[in-house]
Amino acid sequence: MEATKKKHLKYEFFDVTADVGYRAYGQSLQKAFENAAIAMFEVITDTSTILPIIEKNIHLEAEDDCAILYDWLSELLFLHDAEYLVFSKFEVKLYSKIDAGEKKYIIDASAFGEEFDPSRHERRSEVKAVTYHMMNIKFEDSYIVQVILDI
């Protein structure tokens, strides 16, 4: 795909045997993380039908950029499983700091959505887990994060 087309894409799915794979894009890493979350919830339901009426604040720390991406998506999946929430809007702040001589990656984010309502929300695939398999973060004219979901 041409680099100019990637600038306008939020995410795209690719074929993976028995799982769902996708690449999310963003001019910033924060935007790519937001689009990665949207893509995950598109696997679960049609995000255009989700009202952003409940806000969940999330703070996570991890040892590297893939670990913070994994933790971010896993926390959102936990909120979906535990509280039956689906999300359609995300605001992500990413930064790093040195703590006791080690670099830490930190995410402070807000997820906006509502409780899943089967009368209004389409039931698509059940996402069992986020995986590290083929997880990748790179920059090629924009940020690209690659994720495989276990369904």
Side-chain angles (χ1 to χ4, degrees):
M1 177 175 291
E2 297 172 21
T4 54
K5 287 184 180 178
K6 285 184 182 178
K7 284 183 182 181
H8 302 291
L9 275 180
K10 289 185 178 186
Y11 56 86
E12 64 182 341
F13 292 95
F14 61 89
D15 291 332
V16 181
T17 304
D19 290 324
V20 172
Y22 64 89
R23 291 178 194 94
Y25 303 95
Q27 285 305 111
S28 67
L29 189 54
Q30 290 89 336
K31 185 54 78 177
F33 272 49
E34 291 170 6
N35 290 336
I38 287 283
M40 182 173 73
F41 279 95
E42 277 294 324
V43 172
I44 296 167
T45 191
D46 177 357
T47 60
S48 71
T49 65
I50 300 169
L51 300 174
I53 55 177
I54 295 172
E55 179 180 0
K56 290 291 183 174
N57 295 307
I58 298 167
H59 173 87
L60 301 165
E61 296 184 15
E63 65 277 2
D64 62 47
D65 54 358
C66 282
I68 201 73
L69 174 61
Y70 175 88
D71 291 349
W72 159 240
L73 296 174
S74 295
E75 181 67 16
L76 292 171
L77 190 56
F78 170 78
L79 290 169
H80 170 68
D81 291 341
E83 299 180 28
Y84 309 107
L85 297 175
V86 286
F87 299 102
S88 61
K89 180 182 171 196
F90 304 92
E91 294 174 359
V92 171
K93 291 185 178 108
L94 287 167
Y95 54 98
S96 60
K97 69 177 183 179
I98 304 296
D99 187 19
E102 294 192 17
K103 190 172 187 177
K104 298 263 185 185
Y105 290 77
I106 301 161
I107 189 168
D108 282 313
S110 296
F112 301 88
E114 63 180 323
E115 280 190 36
F116 183 85
D117 178 351
S119 70
R120 291 185 28 251
H121 302 123
E122 174 187 0
R123 189 178 307 272
R124 292 182 176 167
S125 297
E126 176 187 349
V127 175
K128 295 177 188 172
V130 179
T131 73
Y132 272 110
H133 179 64
M134 295 175 56
M135 185 174 277
N136 191 19
I137 298 173
K138 62 185 174 181
F139 183 83
E140 291 178 2
D141 194 41
S142 66
Y143 284 92
I144 305 166
V145 299
Q146 180 169 282
V147 177
I148 306 285
L149 302 174
D150 180 15
I151 57 169

